[in-house]
Amino acid sequence: TIRKGKKQSQETKANVKAKRSALWLERTDGKYTHHLQLPEYKHKNQISNFRRKLTKLDSVQFTSVEAVKALVLGVMDLLTEQLGRLPSRAEIKNAVSDESVGKQCVNRILLELGITTGILQHQASQGQVDIAEFIKTLGLEPMFCDRSTIHPYELDIVVGDLAIEYNGVWCHGEAYGKFKDYHLSKTLECNAKGISLFHIWDHEWSEKPEIIKSMIANKLGKTDRKIHARKCKLVIPSKEQAKLFMETNHIQGSVGWSAAYGLEYNDELVFCMTFGKPRFNKKYKYELLRMATALNTVVVGGMSKVLNEFKSNHGSSLITYSDVRLSGLEPAYRTAFKLVGRNEPGWFGYKDGKVINRLSLTKQKLLDDHPSEYDHSISAIANLEKLGYDRVWDCGQYVYELA
């Protein structure tokens, strides 16, 4: 029986190893079978060198999570000073874990602190580098991998009172310890410091870089083209014109609507708002669905001019939503809208390199797509994990009504 148990344990380990190897082969285009093979991990004797320099901690019994968290944070600061860089997850665990502090407890604390990858002072991704290079063209010097603003959490890019997180969808879901409040908590931490945190998904940067560049420039006050609404002509764009405008200028693209108003400057559509029946709150008669300005353009007073026209034709029963991850600090809608709430973070699915709307991952959809694999003894959410889907959380939405 003992031998059989050993054999089963070894088989389980082999299966886990094979799955892990297959996963990393897929993620690295067939280059690596383990994360320790990645270039940033190849630092010979890194752990043994810093352990010899580490000041020996007094023997203390850490019996609470808060005590272990205090120890972890203290060791992180100590190692940073001694190494001249931020330590890796493995270095922290090896420095903290001993007979009085188990590695499982340390793992829990590191997960809570958002430290889920191997090297904390990681090499910036190409997307981060590209965004930083763009910011430099605006005459500003961004900071990389900042841990001083909302210590001990890391911000990918910080420039002035704007912070930017470039989030790879594949590693920002529950499978990597990024649960419901992870992205929102970093946003709120930044808000408390007067900093606006702008979250960008990697696929957004790949698909719509010019829209994101325009948004960043606007957030940094570096948009050169400013047009006053009084110099613009109020128009009702055609469906084709409004759809193309939103697809070209709005990060979320177009959506169906029943009313649209725009502003033209020298026969060019430079501002547009679309309205429709409320999707989530039937208390109101209308919902502002999309609002966008032409790329690299600010239309001063544009929103007020269009809203005045909307109210004269449709009344003032209007609700709208603003994504917290895109807005950061509460958006400057106070002159026209009143903040009435903030929705909880929502999620979307991710599998095999594809982003999937949560409406395509309902229980019935899963039953239709995986009839023989669906397990009726567990929940739909547990089935998502079983079927290889990851859940990725956003930051929720601000909710406004027309003032």
Side-chain angles (χ1 to χ4, degrees):
T1 303
I2 295 175
R3 289 179 181 175
K4 184 178 179 181
K6 277 190 173 182
K7 184 177 181 181
Q8 288 177 337
S9 177
Q10 290 169 353
E11 287 177 352
T12 301
K13 289 180 180 179
N15 288 336
V16 171
K17 184 176 180 181
K19 288 181 180 179
R20 182 181 61 200
S21 297
L23 180 64
W24 280 103
L25 282 170
E26 178 186 349
R27 288 175 177 169
T28 61
D29 295 326
K31 294 180 180 178
Y32 308 106
T33 60
H34 196 284
H35 69 280
L36 293 177
Q37 296 172 351
L38 296 174
E40 59 263 36
Y41 281 85
K42 293 182 178 179
H43 302 286
K44 291 184 178 180
N45 300 321
Q46 186 178 18
I47 295 176
S48 59
N49 287 339
F50 91 81
R51 282 184 69 86
R52 282 194 291 269
K53 298 177 183 178
L54 184 62
T55 303
K56 187 176 181 181
L57 296 171
D58 293 333
S59 179
V60 181
Q61 287 289 16
F62 295 95
T63 56
S64 72
V65 173
E66 288 304 314
V68 177
K69 183 187 289 187
L71 174 64
V72 169
L73 291 174
V75 169
M76 284 174 62
D77 289 338
L78 180 61
L79 294 179
T80 299
E81 181 181 349
Q82 292 178 343
L83 295 170
R85 59 166 174 76
L86 290 169
S88 72
R89 178 185 173 92
E91 289 171 335
I92 297 169
K93 285 171 63 177
N94 282 310
V96 173
S97 303
D98 59 16
E99 64 278 357
S100 62
V101 183
K103 287 190 177 182
Q104 286 187 344
C105 187
V106 178
N107 274 334
R108 176 181 171 186
I109 299 302
L110 293 175
L111 189 64
E112 182 181 334
L113 294 173
I115 303 169
T116 57
T117 53
I119 300 296
L120 305 188
Q121 184 64 30
H122 60 273
Q123 294 181 346
S125 66
Q126 188 58 51
Q128 287 175 256
V129 172
D130 291 341
I131 292 170
E133 288 301 316
F134 167 70
I135 292 173
K136 290 179 182 178
T137 67
L138 302 176
L140 301 171
E141 193 62 37
M143 240 183 343
F144 269 121
C145 305
D146 172 68
R147 280 189 179 269
S148 61
T149 302
I150 54 170
H151 181 77
Y153 299 102
E154 181 178 282
L155 297 170
D156 292 338
I157 297 173
V158 177
V159 52
D161 59 2
L162 176 67
I164 298 172
E165 284 280 274
Y166 179 81
N167 298 331
V169 175
W170 69 272
C171 62
H172 274 258
E174 292 183 343
Y176 278 77
K178 309 295 196 302
F179 294 99
K180 181 178 179 179
D181 293 325
Y182 176 78
H183 297 107
L184 175 60
S185 64
K186 294 182 79 169
T187 299
L188 296 178
E189 289 271 359
C190 285
N191 285 1
K193 299 289 183 69
I195 292 171
S196 182
L197 179 54
F198 180 30
H199 293 267
I200 302 169
W201 298 119
D202 55 355
H203 65 277
E204 290 177 328
W205 177 251
S206 299
E207 297 166 5
K208 300 183 177 182
E210 295 308 315
I211 294 179
I212 292 175
K213 288 179 182 179
S214 179
M215 294 173 73
I216 292 173
N218 184 55
K219 289 174 180 293
L220 292 171
K222 292 293 184 176
T223 303
D224 293 329
R225 189 189 188 203
K226 291 183 173 63
I227 303 169
H228 288 273
R230 65 177 180 271
K231 296 182 179 181
C232 297
K233 177 184 175 182
L234 185 69
V235 298
I236 298 178
S238 68
K239 283 200 174 284
E240 293 76 15
Q241 188 181 16
K243 180 179 180 180
L244 178 61
F245 188 85
M246 291 301 174
E247 292 292 345
T248 305
N249 299 289
H250 198 287
I251 189 66
Q252 294 172 319
S254 182
V255 68
W257 71 93
S258 58
Y261 296 91
L263 298 176
E264 284 188 353
Y265 179 75
N266 291 339
D267 297 324
E268 175 195 356
L269 187 63
V270 294
F271 183 84
C272 187
M273 297 172 74
T274 61
F275 306 85
K277 295 299 179 183
R279 296 168 294 176
F280 314 111
N281 191 331
K282 304 304 180 182
K283 169 186 170 183
Y284 300 86
K285 291 183 179 179
Y286 288 93
E287 179 183 336
L288 169 57
L289 300 169
R290 293 285 189 269
M291 179 174 69
T293 307
L295 296 184
N296 307 307
T297 303
V298 173
V299 180
V300 181
M303 181 173 66
S304 296
K305 184 168 183 175
V306 170
L307 282 176
N308 287 336
E309 180 67 17
F310 173 84
K311 284 191 289 185
S312 67
N313 295 322
H314 304 281
S316 58
S317 180
L318 181 67
I319 188 173
T320 191
Y321 305 87
S322 175
D323 276 2
V324 176
R325 74 174 182 90
L326 301 176
S327 305
L329 290 170
E330 181 190 331
Y333 289 170
R334 295 176 184 172
T335 56
F337 288 92
K338 179 175 71 173
L339 182 67
V340 294
R342 177 168 58 79
N343 289 340
E344 291 291 306
W347 60 270
F348 58 85
Y350 179 80
K351 182 180 180 181
D352 299 331
K354 295 179 181 179
V355 172
I356 307 164
N357 190 296
R358 66 181 297 175
L359 296 179
S360 298
L361 297 173
T362 61
K363 179 178 179 179
Q364 189 57 53
K365 293 282 188 180
L366 292 175
L367 280 168
D368 293 341
D369 295 339
H370 308 277
S372 61
E373 300 169 273
Y374 193 91
D375 186 348
H376 292 272
S377 67
I378 59 178
S379 68
I381 296 302
N383 269 285
L384 281 176
E385 183 178 356
K386 176 178 178 289
L387 295 169
Y389 295 95
D390 195 8
R391 291 201 300 172
V392 185
W393 293 88
D394 61 21
C395 300
Q397 299 86 31
Y398 293 115
V399 186
Y400 295 90
E401 65 179 11
L402 197 58

